[in-house]
Amino acid sequence: QSALTQPRSVSGSPGQSVTISCTGTSSDVGRSYFVSWYRQHPGSAPELVIYDVNKRPSGIPGRFSGSKSVNTASLTISGLQAEDEAEYYCCSYAGSNTLIFGGGTTLTVL
Amino acid sequence: QLQLQESGPGLVRPSETLSLNCTVSGGSLMTSGYYWGWIRQPPGKGLEWIGSVYFNGNTQYSPSLKSRVSVSVDTSRKQFSLTLNSVTAADTAVYYCARRTLVGSTIDYWGQGTLVTVS
């Protein structure tokens, strides 16, 4: 069971949009609509920003959106702001009530 | 507001057993629809799901750790626990306790994390 594949880093200027991909297999990302995304600032615990592929928890702005196609899920952040700079992780249900995370993507706001 | 707090030794010797507790406040471990579990993060690296437990004691574990890990729950003490046997330096990490939904991959509440060093 290998970690889901995410790009090591992405970057964008304030106001722009960025998309972070998360590629798995038919055993995890491709098996269901149970993909979530987490934002982690240095020294802090992760925070849920997207669940069930494209749902936002309360308090997360509409600038955050998610999607999925076959074995790849994506997180898009539009209208980039300085506070969006963080590490982002995807997580997928992997069957038998187990979970698997992606390797993480560093988002830099230029 | 639900809060989770990890506790336990910050230093464990190689080959010994790592044991951590997570105390839940502001909510109940017996709330239906949620598992209680553990995730770890080695220094400078990504997140790794370890395992989780339901209030009735049902457990699920990462296949890569299944032979060494145990997660249990004590509803009377409002705690759930992690035990990891035969630790090595590779088990050095920040360990987070968390709540996840029964269905899906949603982890909606996290503890602040506790660093455990194997040395």
Side-chain angles (χ1 to χ4, degrees):
Chain A
Q1 193 184 41
S2 301
L4 306 175
T5 301
Q6 297 182 231
R8 291 290 298 272
S9 63
V10 297
S11 62
S13 299
Q16 289 186 333
S17 294
V18 295
T19 296
I20 300 171
S21 61
C22 170
T23 300
T25 69
S26 58
S27 296
D28 37 65
V29 176
R31 72 182 295 142
S32 71
Y33 272 77
F34 298 138
V35 176
S36 51
W37 290 88
Y38 302 86
R39 172 177 62 190
Q40 186 179 34
H41 289 112
S44 296
E47 175 191 17
L48 178 69
V49 296
I50 291 287
Y51 68 99
D52 293 353
V53 171
N54 57 13
K55 298 177 183 176
R56 282 179 292 108
S58 60
I60 300 300
R63 304 185 295 105
F64 289 79
S65 62
S67 63
K68 188 177 85 85
S69 177
V70 192
N71 296 334
T72 297
S74 299
L75 171 70
T76 298
I77 307 170
S78 58
L80 269 179
Q81 299 181 4
E83 58 261 35
D84 297 331
E85 186 162 292
E87 193 78 12
Y88 288 83
Y89 294 92
C90 61
C91 178
S92 174
Y93 178 71
S96 301
N97 293 316
T98 64
L99 303 181
I100 186 169
F101 282 98
T105 298
T106 302
L107 169 59
T108 301
V109 180
L110 301 171
Chain B
Q1 175 78 346
L2 186 70
Q3 292 187 324
L4 291 80
Q5 178 66 58
E6 304 88 352
S7 60
L11 181 65
V12 181
R13 296 185 184 277
S15 80
E16 296 191 345
T17 297
L18 180 159
S19 296
L20 294 173
N21 293 317
C22 181
T23 301
V24 176
S25 58
S28 174
L29 279 166
M30 299 183 70
T31 301
S32 63
Y34 296 100
Y35 290 118
W36 304 90
W38 296 90
I39 296 108
R40 70 180 182 178
Q41 185 172 35
K45 296 187 178 180
L47 301 169
E48 179 182 20
W49 180 75
I50 299 172
S52 51
V53 63
Y54 197 52
F55 74 85
N56 63 2
N58 286 345
T59 54
Q60 315 81 36
Y61 301 122
S62 166
S64 63
L65 294 170
K66 189 173 184 178
S67 63
R68 298 195 292 132
V69 70
S70 176
V71 180
S72 59
V73 62
D74 185 340
T75 55
S76 64
R77 299 182 64 188
K78 298 186 177 182
Q79 287 184 339
F80 60 100
S81 303
L82 169 69
T83 300
L84 184 64
N85 301 321
S86 305
V87 298
T88 69
D91 295 310
T92 294
V94 174
Y95 285 76
Y96 295 99
C97 62
R99 186 182 85 166
R100 63 167 281 205
T101 53
L102 200 66
V103 177
S105 69
T106 305
I107 304 169
D108 57 357
Y109 285 93
W110 297 69
Q112 66 184 25
T114 186
L115 175 62
V116 178
T117 301
V118 179
S119 178

